């Protein structure tokens, strides 16, 4: 029979990377609005 | 000696590498490029910048999952060396 696969983890999503991405995108947004 | 040419090559390589990894946010690369443009010529030709660039490039190539960490690091360094704008104030 079929074996259910339960792997939905985001393996490549590094927490440090997520924070850096958020900071960077916020800075870009702030820069765009100040220009 | 000046590291200008070498730094330009390393920066272009870093941009190319990152642009493939940040396709979901196409605004990131132009932002990094504008930070680079605004940095002082002295810093862009320095050994310090070469070291930062070399380190970021090596890291992003081995740990792609941290691409934004390295871009953020480079942006911070470039921001710290932004050319001071001369205010042309006439009274």
């Amino acid at each position: 029979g079929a074996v259910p696969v339960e792997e939905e983890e985001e393996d490549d999503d590094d927490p440090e990377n997520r924070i850096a991405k958020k900071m960077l995108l916020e800075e870009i947004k702030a820069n765009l609005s100040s220009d | 000696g000046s590291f200008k040419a070498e730094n330009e090559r390393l920066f272009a390589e870093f941009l190319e590498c990152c642009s493939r990894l940040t396709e979901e946010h196409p605004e990131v690369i132009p932002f990094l490029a504008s930070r680079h443009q605004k940095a002082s010529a002295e810093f862009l030709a320095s050994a310090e910048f070469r070291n930062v660039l070399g380190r970021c490039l090596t890291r992003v190539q081995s740990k792609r999952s941290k691409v934004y960490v390295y871009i953020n690091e480079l942006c911070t360094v470039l921001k710290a060396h932004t050319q001071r704008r001369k205010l042309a104030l006439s009274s």
Side-chain angles (χ1 to χ4, degrees):
Chain A
V3 180
V5 180
E6 285 185 48
E7 276 189 45
E8 279 292 315
E9 274 184 50
E10 289 183 41
D11 204 33
D12 61 345
D13 204 352
D14 187 286
E16 198 186 348
N17 193 54
R18 220 180 312 158
I19 295 167
K21 188 205 269 191
K22 194 172 167 239
M23 281 168 62
L24 194 64
L25 294 177
E26 277 174 8
E27 202 182 340
I28 294 173
K29 219 191 281 177
N31 251 271
L32 284 176
S33 58
S34 72
D35 266 350
Chain B
S2 169
F3 294 103
K4 188 171 180 278
E6 189 180 348
N7 289 350
E8 276 175 11
R9 185 183 57 79
L10 285 171
F11 186 71
E13 207 177 315
F14 185 76
L15 278 189
E16 196 195 320
C17 193
C18 291
S19 64
R20 272 180 271 131
L21 301 170
T22 60
E23 281 173 347
E24 51 175 356
H25 292 291
E27 69 272 38
V28 168
I29 296 302
F31 178 71
L32 179 59
S34 80
R35 276 264 185 273
H36 179 258
Q37 271 188 341
K38 288 174 187 168
S40 76
E42 194 184 21
F43 177 68
L44 295 180
S46 69
E48 187 191 347
F49 185 47
R50 192 195 58 163
N51 291 341
V52 176
L53 263 179
R55 195 177 62 221
C56 285
L57 192 59
T58 312
R59 284 179 177 174
V60 82
Q61 283 164 345
S62 61
K63 264 194 177 266
R64 292 167 178 210
S65 60
K66 284 188 186 281
V67 62
Y68 288 99
V69 175
Y70 309 133
I71 293 177
N72 207 15
E73 189 180 328
L74 202 56
C75 276
T76 306
V77 171
L78 288 169
K79 192 179 178 183
H81 291 87
T82 298
Q83 236 172 353
R84 284 184 191 159
R85 274 192 206 165
K86 285 177 188 165
L87 293 175
L89 295 176
S90 54
S91 54

